[in-house]
Each structure stands twice: as C-alpha cells, then as structure tokens.
Amino acid sequence: MKISLLLALYRSFLKKCPSCGKESIYIRYLKLKTNCGNCNEELSIYRTDDFGPWLTIIIVGHIIVPLVLYIEQSYSPQLWLQATVWIPITILSVLYVLPISKSICLAILWKLKEK
Ligand SMILES: [Zn+2]
C-alpha cells in the first residue's frame, strides 16, 4: 500500500513505524529497532546520521533563542537566573525533540526508498 509523505511524517511525529504506524521505531531512547514488530518493515537500513541532531538544533534554536532575547530585552533578569532557567529548558527541549527529529529523518528516507 502506497503511503503519502504527510502520513509518514505524521507517524514519525509519534515515533511510530512509517509503514504501518502501529509500533514504536525505538528499542531505547535513540536506538532503532531492526524491524517493525507489526509489519516487519526493515528499519535498521536507514542511516539517519546527523540529520536528527541538525534538525533538533534548528527547531529548538528557533524557539529558545527568540524567547531568551525577548525576556532579556523586556525584563533584563540577572544572568544567574537566566542560566538557571534557560539551560535546563534547552537541555530538556533537545532531549524531547531529538528522537522525533531522528524519526522524521527515518520517515523521509523510508519514503524516498518506497517502491
Ligand atoms: Zn510497521
């Protein structure tokens, strides 16, 4: 069955198999399964490499940096307070977005290789 790129991307946002959308693509945090447990789609052949971290930096950077600049220009809080707030928020955001970015990359590669 042919699946649209939009549907594959939607499934990737949920970190699910791009082919069936039922099973998670991860064994652990960023460790991909070899095959989908539901449809047996081979997942380990897709080399996502640095695309996931790159996309994560783009997404998180475009959210966090404007917020930091807005808060700095509007309220000018102490530097220690900003570091205490923004560093954990940035780390948590990156940890949340990174598996989704990797999943998006896998879905794009999967769609490009689809017959
Ligand atoms: Zn599947």
Side-chain angles (χ1 to χ4, degrees):
M1 184 172 77
K2 210 79 165 142
I3 291 165
S4 72
L5 178 62
L6 220 53
L7 181 58
L9 288 174
Y10 171 73
R11 289 172 175 172
S12 72
F13 275 105
L14 303 173
K15 297 182 269 182
K16 303 283 184 187
C17 169
S19 178
C20 68
K22 300 246 192 293
E23 286 272 328
S24 171
I25 60 169
Y26 294 112
I27 299 171
R28 292 187 307 253
Y29 178 61
L30 286 176
K31 179 76 176 164
L32 287 173
K33 289 180 179 173
T34 312
N35 293 73
C36 174
N38 185 50
C39 67
N40 206 30
E41 183 72 32
E42 195 168 2
L43 300 171
S44 62
I45 58 170
Y46 301 104
R47 305 282 316 229
T48 57
D49 295 333
D50 292 338
F51 182 80
W54 174 83
L55 187 60
T56 302
I57 291 167
I58 296 293
I59 293 169
V60 173
H62 279 86
I63 294 170
I64 298 291
V65 170
L67 286 173
V68 170
L69 292 175
Y70 172 76
I71 296 296
E72 171 61 26
Q73 290 186 344
S74 300
Y75 306 104
S76 299
Q78 299 273 320
L79 188 60
W80 68 266
L81 179 61
Q82 290 202 58
T84 307
V85 171
W86 292 117
I87 291 173
I89 286 175
T90 304
I91 291 170
L92 292 174
S93 301
V94 165
L95 291 174
Y96 179 76
V97 173
L98 187 55
I100 296 170
S101 298
K102 186 173 179 171
S103 181
I104 289 169
C105 178
L106 186 133
I108 292 169
L109 292 173
W110 175 83
K111 184 62 186 166
L112 288 173
K113 204 167 186 169
E114 190 182 37
K115 292 155 196 125

